[in-house]
Amino acid sequence: MYENVSEKRKQELNLLKIWAECVGDTYYFSMPQAKFDKNMEGCEDEEFFKAYSRQREIGLKEFEKEISGRIASINSAEEIHYLLDGYNYDNGSWTIMQCLNNPCCDIRTARMVYWLMCPDYYYDRYADLEHVPDTDINSKNSKVLKFIEERVLSQGFVHILTSEYEDGEVPSPNEYAGRIPDSLFAGKD
């Protein structure tokens, strides 16, 4: 897998993942410089230090715009998939949404994200994604799932990646078939 992504490009994408995780994180941004320096002592060579330093230098909105632009400039379904493969979903949905909104995002990438975000939790608990209350601790995830469903129904994802990119978490049609769009199940290209 990822034969068309060079080792150099993988390194660039790995760094972009780290920088993207810093978007929207205001913890270090609002910290006084002396406290920031103390908290980051010994981390000066780390990418997260460079990202947070850049964020502090140009501001939250400009940093978000810069990283968003870098993700938007990716013109390869394989690279978008690589960015989200192994993504830590505890880091929020900003990076996920940037990748899903990229015109090169493949249906296999969308399916991977969809099933790793556990739609069955919402369907079992609330019957569908429409009725997830904002008080649910994971309500932001349900909005991402809803976005994927809507984009799948409008055929908004490309179909470029081969079956080797199908994540093992993507099930064949199961008890949710009929409620979840068919294209979100394995083998439904």
Side-chain angles (χ1 to χ4, degrees):
M1 229 164 55
Y2 304 114
E3 302 85 31
N4 298 314
V5 183
S6 70
E7 288 305 312
K8 181 178 186 266
R9 184 61 176 154
K10 286 177 185 175
Q11 289 174 346
E12 293 169 354
L13 292 169
N14 288 336
L15 296 179
L16 179 55
K17 274 187 205 186
I18 294 168
W19 283 60
E21 289 172 3
C22 298
V23 171
D25 183 349
T26 60
Y27 180 75
Y28 292 108
F29 181 78
S30 56
M31 201 177 269
Q33 187 64 45
K35 188 174 179 183
F36 177 79
D37 293 342
K38 186 176 182 350
N39 282 339
M40 291 290 189
E41 192 173 319
C43 299
E44 294 82 3
D45 292 332
E46 300 291 337
E47 274 312 304
F48 65 84
F49 171 82
K50 295 172 188 174
Y52 285 124
S53 295
R54 177 74 175 155
Q55 181 190 59
R56 291 169 63 84
E57 175 189 335
I58 65 174
L60 289 172
K61 289 293 178 196
E62 284 302 311
F63 184 74
E64 180 179 316
K65 186 177 169 185
E66 183 177 293
I67 302 306
S68 178
R70 289 175 62 189
I71 295 172
S73 72
I74 297 172
N75 58 10
S76 161
E78 194 174 26
E79 289 183 7
I80 292 292
H81 194 86
Y82 183 86
L83 264 179
L84 292 178
D85 193 3
Y87 180 77
N88 181 350
Y89 289 83
D90 291 335
N91 289 330
S93 60
W94 187 86
T95 303
I96 295 167
M97 288 304 296
Q98 297 303 303
C99 292
L100 291 172
N101 275 309
N102 185 299
C104 294
C105 188
D106 191 90
I107 185 65
R108 293 183 195 283
T109 304
R111 281 198 291 247
M112 173 183 71
V113 168
Y114 187 82
W115 289 102
L116 289 173
M117 293 185 86
C118 303
D120 46 338
Y121 164 82
Y122 303 99
Y123 277 91
D124 289 345
R125 192 161 192 163
Y126 304 109
D128 58 34
L129 298 175
E130 295 293 329
H131 295 93
V132 178
D134 288 339
T135 56
D136 186 297
I137 193 165
N138 297 311
S139 65
K140 287 184 180 178
N141 288 353
S142 71
K143 289 171 180 37
V144 174
L145 294 170
K146 182 82 173 129
F147 173 83
I148 293 170
E149 286 186 3
E150 289 169 358
R151 189 148 177 216
V152 159
L153 291 172
S154 68
Q155 300 178 356
F157 294 106
V158 298
H159 291 74
I160 295 171
L161 298 178
T162 61
S163 62
E164 73 179 317
Y165 290 89
E166 194 75 76
D167 190 89
E169 296 293 319
V170 177
S172 297
N174 57 27
E175 68 267 23
Y176 302 100
R179 294 193 287 167
I180 291 175
D182 285 345
S183 297
L184 289 170
F185 292 100
K188 295 292 184 170
D189 298 333

